[in-house]
mmCIF file of all heavy atoms in Angstrom:
data_model
loop_
_atom_site.group_PDB
_atom_site.id
_atom_site.type_symbol
_atom_site.label_atom_id
_atom_site.label_comp_id
_atom_site.label_asym_id
_atom_site.label_seq_id
_atom_site.Cartn_x
_atom_site.Cartn_y
_atom_site.Cartn_z
ATOM 1 N N ALA A 28 75.425 159.141 85.372
ATOM 2 C CA ALA A 28 74.946 158.565 84.139
ATOM 3 C C ALA A 28 73.574 157.891 84.357
ATOM 4 O O ALA A 28 72.660 158.019 83.489
ATOM 5 C CB ALA A 28 75.937 157.508 83.636
ATOM 6 N N THR A 29 73.375 157.223 85.488
ATOM 7 C CA THR A 29 72.056 156.598 85.771
ATOM 8 C C THR A 29 71.004 157.674 85.927
ATOM 9 O O THR A 29 69.877 157.528 85.338
ATOM 10 C CB THR A 29 72.145 155.738 87.004
ATOM 11 O OG1 THR A 29 73.092 154.714 86.798
ATOM 12 C CG2 THR A 29 70.831 155.084 87.319
ATOM 13 N N SER A 30 71.309 158.738 86.583
ATOM 14 C CA SER A 30 70.260 159.784 86.767
ATOM 15 C C SER A 30 69.904 160.473 85.459
ATOM 16 O O SER A 30 68.766 160.755 85.260
ATOM 17 C CB SER A 30 70.780 160.872 87.767
ATOM 18 O OG SER A 30 71.798 161.644 87.192
ATOM 19 N N ARG A 31 70.829 160.600 84.566
ATOM 20 C CA ARG A 31 70.542 161.137 83.254
ATOM 21 C C ARG A 31 69.693 160.186 82.402
ATOM 22 O O ARG A 31 68.785 160.634 81.696
ATOM 23 C CB ARG A 31 71.823 161.418 82.450
ATOM 24 C CG ARG A 31 72.721 162.470 83.114
ATOM 25 C CD ARG A 31 72.287 163.859 82.962
ATOM 26 N NE ARG A 31 72.247 164.169 81.525
ATOM 27 C CZ ARG A 31 71.590 165.125 80.946
ATOM 28 N NH1 ARG A 31 70.860 165.919 81.721
ATOM 29 N NH2 ARG A 31 71.577 165.286 79.651
ATOM 30 N N ARG A 32 69.935 158.882 82.551
ATOM 31 C CA ARG A 32 69.206 157.900 81.790
ATOM 32 C C ARG A 32 67.794 157.739 82.275
ATOM 33 O O ARG A 32 66.847 157.697 81.492
ATOM 34 C CB ARG A 32 69.932 156.533 81.846
ATOM 35 C CG ARG A 32 69.299 155.458 80.924
ATOM 36 C CD ARG A 32 70.102 154.145 80.903
ATOM 37 N NE ARG A 32 69.996 153.484 82.218
ATOM 38 C CZ ARG A 32 70.939 153.342 83.053
ATOM 39 N NH1 ARG A 32 72.190 153.783 82.799
ATOM 40 N NH2 ARG A 32 70.829 152.663 84.188
ATOM 41 N N VAL A 33 67.574 157.722 83.573
ATOM 42 C CA VAL A 33 66.230 157.401 84.098
ATOM 43 C C VAL A 33 65.318 158.626 84.063
ATOM 44 O O VAL A 33 64.086 158.413 84.200
ATOM 45 C CB VAL A 33 66.296 156.834 85.541
ATOM 46 C CG1 VAL A 33 67.083 155.540 85.598
ATOM 47 C CG2 VAL A 33 66.827 157.815 86.542
ATOM 48 N N CYS A 34 65.823 159.766 83.809
ATOM 49 C CA CYS A 34 64.955 160.984 83.760
ATOM 50 C C CYS A 34 64.182 161.083 82.385
ATOM 51 O O CYS A 34 63.298 161.930 82.288
ATOM 52 C CB CYS A 34 65.715 162.221 84.092
ATOM 53 S SG CYS A 34 66.842 162.814 82.781
ATOM 54 N N ARG A 35 64.560 160.259 81.441
ATOM 55 C CA ARG A 35 63.854 160.333 80.156
ATOM 56 C C ARG A 35 62.390 159.877 80.315
ATOM 57 O O ARG A 35 62.080 159.066 81.112
ATOM 58 C CB ARG A 35 64.563 159.467 79.111
ATOM 59 C CG ARG A 35 65.914 160.047 78.726
ATOM 60 C CD ARG A 35 66.560 159.282 77.589
ATOM 61 N NE ARG A 35 66.534 157.871 77.894
ATOM 62 C CZ ARG A 35 67.552 157.048 77.645
ATOM 63 N NH1 ARG A 35 68.674 157.558 77.074
ATOM 64 N NH2 ARG A 35 67.513 155.764 77.933
ATOM 65 N N GLU A 36 61.529 160.426 79.462
ATOM 66 C CA GLU A 36 60.143 160.100 79.453
ATOM 67 C C GLU A 36 59.921 158.785 78.744
ATOM 68 O O GLU A 36 60.344 158.598 77.602
ATOM 69 C CB GLU A 36 59.337 161.230 78.740
ATOM 70 C CG GLU A 36 57.821 161.085 78.856
ATOM 71 C CD GLU A 36 57.339 161.340 80.248
ATOM 72 O OE1 GLU A 36 57.986 162.093 80.989
ATOM 73 O OE2 GLU A 36 56.301 160.771 80.598
ATOM 74 N N GLY A 37 59.189 157.868 79.365
ATOM 75 C CA GLY A 37 58.898 156.559 78.797
ATOM 76 C C GLY A 37 57.523 156.501 78.187
ATOM 77 O O GLY A 37 56.726 157.465 78.233
ATOM 78 N N LEU A 38 57.187 155.392 77.602
ATOM 79 C CA LEU A 38 55.904 155.153 76.984
ATOM 80 C C LEU A 38 54.937 154.759 78.064
ATOM 81 O O LEU A 38 55.165 153.887 78.943
ATOM 82 C CB LEU A 38 56.018 153.980 75.970
ATOM 83 C CG LEU A 38 54.719 153.470 75.355
ATOM 84 C CD1 LEU A 38 54.098 154.554 74.427
ATOM 85 C CD2 LEU A 38 54.982 152.181 74.601
ATOM 86 N N ARG A 39 53.746 155.460 78.097
ATOM 87 C CA ARG A 39 52.696 155.096 79.020
ATOM 88 C C ARG A 39 51.756 154.155 78.298
ATOM 89 O O ARG A 39 51.164 154.556 77.320
ATOM 90 C CB ARG A 39 51.928 156.358 79.537
ATOM 91 C CG ARG A 39 50.794 155.942 80.412
ATOM 92 C CD ARG A 39 50.193 157.052 81.237
ATOM 93 N NE ARG A 39 51.065 157.544 82.276
ATOM 94 C CZ ARG A 39 51.291 156.918 83.450
ATOM 95 N NH1 ARG A 39 50.784 155.709 83.665
ATOM 96 N NH2 ARG A 39 52.027 157.465 84.369
ATOM 97 N N LEU A 40 51.624 152.962 78.871
ATOM 98 C CA LEU A 40 50.657 151.989 78.304
ATOM 99 C C LEU A 40 49.258 152.245 78.903
ATOM 100 O O LEU A 40 49.135 152.986 79.913
ATOM 101 C CB LEU A 40 51.098 150.580 78.654
ATOM 102 C CG LEU A 40 52.458 150.151 78.080
ATOM 103 C CD1 LEU A 40 52.819 148.784 78.595
ATOM 104 C CD2 LEU A 40 52.417 150.171 76.573
ATOM 105 N N ASN A 41 48.247 151.741 78.280
ATOM 106 C CA ASN A 41 46.893 151.905 78.761
ATOM 107 C C ASN A 41 46.507 150.881 79.868
ATOM 108 O O ASN A 41 45.366 150.731 80.155
ATOM 109 C CB ASN A 41 45.854 151.976 77.640
ATOM 110 C CG ASN A 41 45.829 150.635 76.862
ATOM 111 O OD1 ASN A 41 46.637 149.750 77.136
ATOM 112 N ND2 ASN A 41 44.963 150.569 75.925
ATOM 113 N N ILE A 42 47.496 150.136 80.335
ATOM 114 C CA ILE A 42 47.335 149.158 81.421
ATOM 115 C C ILE A 42 48.424 149.441 82.479
ATOM 116 O O ILE A 42 49.442 150.067 82.141
ATOM 117 C CB ILE A 42 47.399 147.690 80.947
ATOM 118 C CG1 ILE A 42 48.759 147.357 80.363
ATOM 119 C CG2 ILE A 42 46.275 147.408 79.983
ATOM 120 C CD1 ILE A 42 48.959 145.860 80.073
ATOM 121 N N PRO A 43 48.198 148.988 83.703
ATOM 122 C CA PRO A 43 49.230 149.275 84.746
ATOM 123 C C PRO A 43 50.521 148.474 84.444
ATOM 124 O O PRO A 43 50.539 147.391 83.936
ATOM 125 C CB PRO A 43 48.574 148.723 86.022
ATOM 126 C CG PRO A 43 47.106 148.669 85.762
ATOM 127 C CD PRO A 43 47.007 148.412 84.268
ATOM 128 N N VAL A 44 51.610 149.130 84.875
ATOM 129 C CA VAL A 44 52.958 148.534 84.817
ATOM 130 C C VAL A 44 53.502 148.519 86.243
ATOM 131 O O VAL A 44 53.634 149.542 86.882
ATOM 132 C CB VAL A 44 53.878 149.325 83.896
ATOM 133 C CG1 VAL A 44 55.336 148.760 83.933
ATOM 134 C CG2 VAL A 44 53.358 149.378 82.495
ATOM 135 N N ILE A 45 53.787 147.300 86.703
ATOM 136 C CA ILE A 45 54.430 147.068 88.021
ATOM 137 C C ILE A 45 55.850 146.635 87.795
ATOM 138 O O ILE A 45 56.060 145.601 87.140
ATOM 139 C CB ILE A 45 53.639 146.011 88.813
ATOM 140 C CG1 ILE A 45 52.181 146.457 89.042
ATOM 141 C CG2 ILE A 45 54.321 145.717 90.156
ATOM 142 C CD1 ILE A 45 51.301 145.392 89.672
ATOM 143 N N CYS A 46 56.780 147.355 88.243
ATOM 144 C CA CYS A 46 58.191 147.079 88.058
ATOM 145 C C CYS A 46 58.742 146.422 89.357
ATOM 146 O O CYS A 46 58.579 146.885 90.480
ATOM 147 C CB CYS A 46 58.976 148.338 87.754
ATOM 148 S SG CYS A 46 60.744 148.084 87.645
ATOM 149 N N VAL A 47 59.430 145.247 89.131
ATOM 150 C CA VAL A 47 60.133 144.582 90.241
ATOM 151 C C VAL A 47 61.615 144.769 89.911
ATOM 152 O O VAL A 47 62.094 144.233 88.905
ATOM 153 C CB VAL A 47 59.724 143.142 90.390
ATOM 154 C CG1 VAL A 47 60.568 142.449 91.500
ATOM 155 C CG2 VAL A 47 58.260 142.986 90.686
#
Side-chain angles (χ1 to χ4, degrees):
T29 301
S30 71
R31 298 284 299 161
R32 186 177 68 250
V33 301
C34 73
R35 293 188 306 223
E36 189 69 28
L38 174 67
R39 176 165 291 285
L40 298 175
N41 61 357
I42 63 172
V44 174
I45 300 172
C46 176
V47 177

